[in-house]
Amino acid sequence: MSFIEHISSIISISTSLEEEIKTISKKISISKGNSILNIGERSENLFFIEKGLLRGYYFDDGKEVTNWFAQETEFATCFYSFIADKPSFEIIQALEDCELIQIPYYRLQNLYKSFPETERIGRVITENYYIKLEERILSLQFKTAKERYQKLVSTKASLLQRASLGQIASYLGITQETLSRIRSEM
């Protein structure tokens, strides 16, 4: 699904709004393994994923910890940095070759002012992000490792073929050995 099609599923888009979105956004390609944001940089862009898979990760005692995955038709950025205009605490890396739509923060703010109906898009993106964040926190606090893995299998099974087992294990908050044991039990 293209970016315009996705936005059109949220709000009705006039021709003038569609043209403005095309003007302020930029399609970029990122090769597998490359980063679009590094620790300490300011996240000045919101990305819509038309093709590919991104992950956000940080380091804890020298170990990579995967914080999130985002795939086709999802938005990605370091939201803390993007909204608060603070340095990022994470790296955003392409796990596959990606086709992204990039929208700078300042242009998004101008779009909200010029086309107030677009604030609904921002609200929907923020609400979806908050729901995912809340579900992740609750899952890490109250679900067993096996339950977290089963949820991942039922909601994002494609990640099992698209991300490494080490990345999936760190996302689930478990070791790779524990993940292997859970997988063999199922």
Side-chain angles (χ1 to χ4, degrees), residues 41-58:
E41 295 176 351
R42 294 194 189 277
S43 183
E44 298 173 350
N45 297 291
L46 179 65
F47 299 95
F48 176 80
I49 304 167
E50 287 191 330
K51 177 181 170 268
L53 178 66
L54 297 173
R55 78 170 174 138
Y57 72 98
Y58 59 92

Side-chain angles (χ1 to χ4, degrees), residues 13-22 115:
I13 295 185
S14 65
T15 304
S16 59
L17 175 54
E18 182 175 343
E19 290 305 314
E20 185 64 19
I21 289 171
K22 288 178 181 177
F115 297 87

Side-chain angles (χ1 to χ4, degrees), residues 134-144 148 151:
E134 187 85 9
E135 286 174 346
R136 178 153 166 73
I137 290 168
L138 292 172
S139 176
L140 289 170
Q141 287 182 325
F142 300 112
K143 301 290 184 188
T144 66
R148 292 193 302 272
K151 174 79 172 177

Side-chain angles (χ1 to χ4, degrees), residues 134-184:
E134 187 85 9
E135 286 174 346
R136 178 153 166 73
I137 290 168
L138 292 172
S139 176
L140 289 170
Q141 287 182 325
F142 300 112
K143 301 290 184 188
T144 66
K146 187 173 184 178
E147 289 170 329
R148 292 193 302 272
Y149 178 73
Q150 288 171 328
K151 174 79 172 177
L152 181 68
V153 168
S154 69
T155 58
K156 290 194 173 194
S158 69
L159 283 179
L160 302 175
Q161 286 77 44
R162 299 172 80 182
S164 74
L165 289 181
Q167 292 163 350
I168 292 169
S170 73
Y171 174 73
L172 295 172
I174 59 178
T175 65
Q176 197 166 336
E177 293 77 20
T178 300
L179 178 58
S180 294
R181 182 180 46 75
I182 291 170
R183 288 169 51 109
S184 68

Side-chain angles (χ1 to χ4, degrees), residues 106-158:
Y106 76 94
R107 290 193 173 238
L108 183 61
Q109 297 307 311
N110 289 336
L111 187 68
Y112 291 156
K113 289 176 190 168
S114 301
F115 297 87
E117 66 270 27
T118 59
E119 288 187 340
R120 177 170 161 70
I121 297 167
R123 191 189 81 217
V124 168
I125 293 167
T126 304
E127 288 171 350
N128 286 335
Y129 174 76
Y130 179 80
I131 289 167
K132 288 178 186 177
L133 181 62
E134 187 85 9
E135 286 174 346
R136 178 153 166 73
I137 290 168
L138 292 172
S139 176
L140 289 170
Q141 287 182 325
F142 300 112
K143 301 290 184 188
T144 66
K146 187 173 184 178
E147 289 170 329
R148 292 193 302 272
Y149 178 73
Q150 288 171 328
K151 174 79 172 177
L152 181 68
V153 168
S154 69
T155 58
K156 290 194 173 194
S158 69

